[in-house]
Amino acid sequence: MANNGFKMTAHIHGLDGLRTLAIAGVTLFHLLPHVFVGGYLGVSLFFVLTGYLLAYTCERNCKNNKFSIIAYYRKRIARIYPSLLLVILVTIGTYSFFAPKVITAIRAEVMSVLLGYNNWWQIAQNSDYFTRLTNQSPFTHLWFLGIELQYYFVWPLYFILYIGIAHLYGKRMGIAVTAFFGFVASLFMPFMYQPDMDVTRLYYGTDTRVYALLLGAAMGLYHANFTFKMRWHRWLKPFKYGLFLVLTVITVVSYLMMDGQNPLTYQGGMLVMTLGFCVMLALTTDRDLYIGQVFELPVFRWIGKKSYGIFLWQYPVIYLFQYMKWDAETTCFGVELPTLLPYIMPVVEVGVIVILTIWSDTLLGCLSTLRGLSLKHRRIIVHICLIFLISMPGFAMMGYGCKGIVESAEYKAADTNELKSRLEQNEVALRTQQTNKNAQPIPAQDIDIRGIACIGDSVMLGSAMALKEVLPDCYIDAQVSRYVGAGLEVAQEMEAQGRLGDVVLIALGTNGPLDGQYEEQTKALLAYLGPKRHIFWVNVYCPSTGWQESNNSYLEKIKEEHANVIIIDWYSLISKHQDWLTDDGIHPDTIGTKEYAKLIHDTIADTLQKNV
């Protein structure tokens, strides 16, 4: 029934509790991505809450004849940009001291953040192999803000359309149309998904993620106009509490288990979780239940209100700790640190994030308060001056941040051009390669190792000529940006050409996960090569990606399950000699390629000789 007597209030009980659940998932995902593999789902909950609150407040203002597009945009700008600018400037200033290489070409990214198209900027960066590797950034998480800013900009236009539909056909029709648009948009992700695609486009795309905002908007519009009036049943309230508890448990379990590389995530899994969040929101705002009141506990309200600041600060802090390897230190000034340090460091990082959030919110609050003060408010002015004094290091970092943006290069050149040139030259050379029948292969008896088949990605391609020096009879098929799913097709082509012998060398895993999304392709490649061949698989060193540890762990699992698989431990070697890498931190330089080839040669030779 129509909500004629329902007084719309500015504060809705329980939303801060849901914000706490959302920011907890996102923060844990950034801190411990291999434990909380599904923490990214907190973003979907944030989208639902954003759509809900925006629609609810706009409808409330419209009912009270207070809706103004100018006031709407002014409020959004005041809410988003002061904190965002402060975080960006302090981050760039801090990185200019600790990690200047990271922010050498930061201007384009900063502009994409401030102008609200960072998600599309990141999609464009990921479409180019070299920029994807060299543009790792402390602002990667702000793709989320790009979608929100775009939605903020367009929403008033849609809201006017909604008002027109509601005027002609009624509120229910306007709400139904909004929900319909949301469900239609929810189909983009599963329809666009392809098994072998880079999921960045689906994960960052406005068109593939806007459905959560629209579904939240439909709920906000409904809540602003109607309430449920159902016949009372004794079992109804316990059922609602039970349903909320089940959904909360599912959310926590999904944070732990719903891997973002799993195809099911993009084939409807994320949509199902979003619908679950919508139900949780409906139950939280249900005035017949006490869920909203429970979520009004001080700890939930505090985290919920600070969630924006926590979100902004978390990735710059976490990225810096990882980049500087502070979270992996075992000694300090020559003193051995406790073995529990790896478990303590995430707590330290959270502490830094919280302190920075409190500081930035306090500083901005003081600036806002200062505008309305006169000399008679002396005590308050003294407190504000103390805050400003404490904030002097932050102001200094902001100054360096401005300097970093002004002096930013157009792109990160580093030695990327040298790497790109080497890869192109090696690619040309491999097109005309022939197996050298006069070369002396690794000595072994009863094993045909003529023309060792080598299947790899750009790391192998960059080292191809060094491999040819130590394995002159090998045949190399390596390609930039090759993922494990392409390995089977390459192996089949080699078999058809008679190049697939008893020994196969594989170097795949830099460009995507071996398990999860591409696990079936990995198993298919191993099954095709069979149990009789000697398979040597080079593990990966790609710390800027999210699958280095999981890929290397999965390779160890493969080794245990397949007696004919030997792991070549490139990771352990290069971890101790990072000066052998180019500036992208992944591809070996001239010295590194020789060491890469030597490691492969020695591992193959030792293994085959032991089997003689």
Side-chain angles (χ1 to χ4, degrees), residues 11-60:
H11 179 72
I12 304 173
H13 292 297
L15 296 191
D16 285 328
L18 292 178
R19 287 195 190 98
T20 300
L21 183 62
I23 196 64
V26 174
T27 305
L28 290 170
F29 175 69
H30 288 153
L31 275 172
L32 304 166
H34 304 299
V35 177
F36 296 91
V37 295
Y40 63 89
L41 292 168
V43 170
S44 295
L45 179 52
F46 270 129
F47 282 147
V48 171
L49 292 172
T50 295
Y52 174 88
L53 280 170
L54 212 56
Y56 182 87
T57 54
C58 286
E59 183 75 339
R60 182 192 67 195

Side-chain angles (χ1 to χ4, degrees), residues 237-346:
K237 185 176 287 190
F239 172 78
K240 288 180 178 180
Y241 283 120
L243 178 60
F244 186 85
L245 180 61
V246 168
L247 290 173
T248 303
V249 171
I250 290 174
T251 299
V252 174
V253 171
S254 297
Y255 281 178
L256 289 166
M257 300 185 63
M258 194 168 173
D259 196 327
Q261 298 297 334
N262 193 310
L264 293 177
T265 299
Y266 306 96
Q267 294 173 324
M270 197 177 294
L271 171 60
V272 170
M273 288 303 301
T274 301
L275 293 175
F277 293 145
C278 290
V279 175
M280 291 179 72
L281 175 58
L283 294 171
T284 301
T285 56
D286 189 333
R287 291 176 296 156
D288 288 336
L289 305 178
Y290 291 104
I291 296 172
Q293 282 80 352
V294 172
F295 273 175
E296 287 294 294
L297 290 173
V299 62
F300 292 134
R301 294 202 66 179
W302 190 90
I303 296 175
K305 292 184 182 305
K306 300 293 183 185
S307 60
Y308 179 55
I310 293 172
F311 174 78
L312 290 179
W313 280 114
Q314 62 180 250
Y315 205 71
V317 171
I318 294 168
Y319 186 91
L320 184 62
F321 270 71
Q322 293 176 346
Y323 186 88
M324 301 301 296
K325 302 192 182 304
W326 293 336
D327 56 353
E329 289 290 343
T330 57
T331 60
C332 182
F333 300 110
V335 178
E336 194 72 22
L337 294 173
T339 55
L340 290 176
L341 187 67
Y343 304 97
I344 297 173
M345 288 309 294

Side-chain angles (χ1 to χ4, degrees), residues 195-260:
D196 299 336
M197 75 180 301
D198 181 354
V199 294
T200 302
R201 169 65 182 84
L202 302 181
Y203 191 78
Y204 287 170
T206 306
D207 52 347
T208 55
R209 302 302 295 270
V210 73
Y211 71 89
L213 289 152
L214 289 172
L215 293 177
M219 294 185 65
L221 294 172
Y222 188 91
H223 189 190
N225 291 285
F226 304 97
T227 57
F228 285 112
K229 292 295 183 182
M230 303 177 66
R231 289 186 62 187
W232 181 255
H233 291 284
R234 225 181 325 175
W235 51 263
L236 183 59
K237 185 176 287 190
F239 172 78
K240 288 180 178 180
Y241 283 120
L243 178 60
F244 186 85
L245 180 61
V246 168
L247 290 173
T248 303
V249 171
I250 290 174
T251 299
V252 174
V253 171
S254 297
Y255 281 178
L256 289 166
M257 300 185 63
M258 194 168 173
D259 196 327

Side-chain angles (χ1 to χ4, degrees), residues 557-570:
K557 179 182 176 184
I558 287 175
K559 176 184 174 182
E560 294 175 1
E561 296 174 350
H562 298 79
N564 63 323
V565 174
I566 303 297
I567 304 302
I568 299 178
D569 196 1
W570 170 242

Side-chain angles (χ1 to χ4, degrees), residues 389-455:
L389 184 63
I390 294 171
S391 301
M392 291 306 295
F395 292 144
M397 290 300 101
M398 291 173 69
Y400 277 102
C402 293
K403 181 174 178 286
I405 294 174
V406 171
E407 295 179 351
S408 171
E410 292 302 319
Y411 59 93
K412 293 183 182 179
D415 57 354
T416 298
N417 291 334
E418 179 186 343
L419 170 63
K420 191 171 184 177
S421 175
R422 173 152 48 92
L423 292 172
E424 291 173 349
Q425 290 173 8
N426 288 359
E427 189 174 13
V428 171
L430 292 181
R431 288 175 190 163
T432 58
Q433 70 180 318
Q434 297 292 333
T435 54
N436 184 357
K437 300 303 181 183
N438 297 320
Q440 296 298 317
I442 299 170
Q445 298 176 1
D446 302 323
I447 298 175
D448 182 8
I449 59 169
R450 291 175 296 172
I452 295 177
C454 305
I455 304 172

Side-chain angles (χ1 to χ4, degrees), residues 454-474:
C454 305
I455 304 172
D457 52 29
S458 60
V459 177
M460 178 183 280
L461 179 60
S463 306
M465 296 304 103
L467 275 173
K468 282 287 188 179
E469 290 180 8
V470 298
L471 300 173
D473 202 35
C474 71

Side-chain angles (χ1 to χ4, degrees), residues 20-189:
T20 300
L21 183 62
I23 196 64
V26 174
T27 305
L28 290 170
F29 175 69
H30 288 153
L31 275 172
L32 304 166
H34 304 299
V35 177
F36 296 91
V37 295
Y40 63 89
L41 292 168
V43 170
S44 295
L45 179 52
F46 270 129
F47 282 147
V48 171
L49 292 172
T50 295
Y52 174 88
L53 280 170
L54 212 56
Y56 182 87
T57 54
C58 286
E59 183 75 339
R60 182 192 67 195
N61 291 334
C62 189
K63 281 176 172 287
N64 296 329
N65 296 318
K66 293 181 179 179
F67 179 73
S68 165
I69 292 181
I70 295 176
Y72 165 87
Y73 283 121
R74 186 187 299 123
K75 186 175 181 180
R76 299 278 81 73
I77 291 171
R79 166 69 177 139
I80 296 297
Y81 280 98
S83 296
L84 179 62
L85 281 168
L86 191 153
V87 170
I88 287 175
L89 292 178
V90 171
T91 297
I92 295 175
T94 303
Y95 274 71
S96 67
F97 287 97
F98 290 100
K101 190 182 295 184
V102 174
I103 50 100
T104 53
I106 203 69
R107 186 191 305 128
E109 184 173 8
V110 169
M111 293 304 297
S112 73
V113 171
L114 296 178
L115 296 179
Y117 61 91
N118 181 257
N119 61 317
W120 295 110
W121 184 86
Q122 291 199 44
I123 289 172
Q125 296 299 298
N126 282 346
S127 68
D128 183 273
Y129 182 69
F130 299 98
T131 54
R132 178 178 63 195
L133 293 177
T134 59
N135 275 290
Q136 300 299 317
S137 164
F139 302 129
T140 300
H141 65 314
L142 295 182
W143 68 270
F144 161 82
L145 197 56
I147 294 178
E148 292 236 324
L149 287 172
Q150 292 160 37
Y151 186 79
Y152 286 155
F153 180 77
V154 174
W155 169 254
L157 304 179
Y158 178 79
F159 186 64
I160 292 172
L161 173 64
Y162 158 78
I163 292 173
I165 295 173
H167 179 73
L168 292 174
Y169 303 104
K171 297 283 187 180
R172 293 183 185 275
M173 179 58 71
I175 296 166
V177 169
T178 305
F180 173 77
F181 285 155
F183 280 111
V184 169
S186 72
L187 300 178
F188 291 172
M189 182 179 287

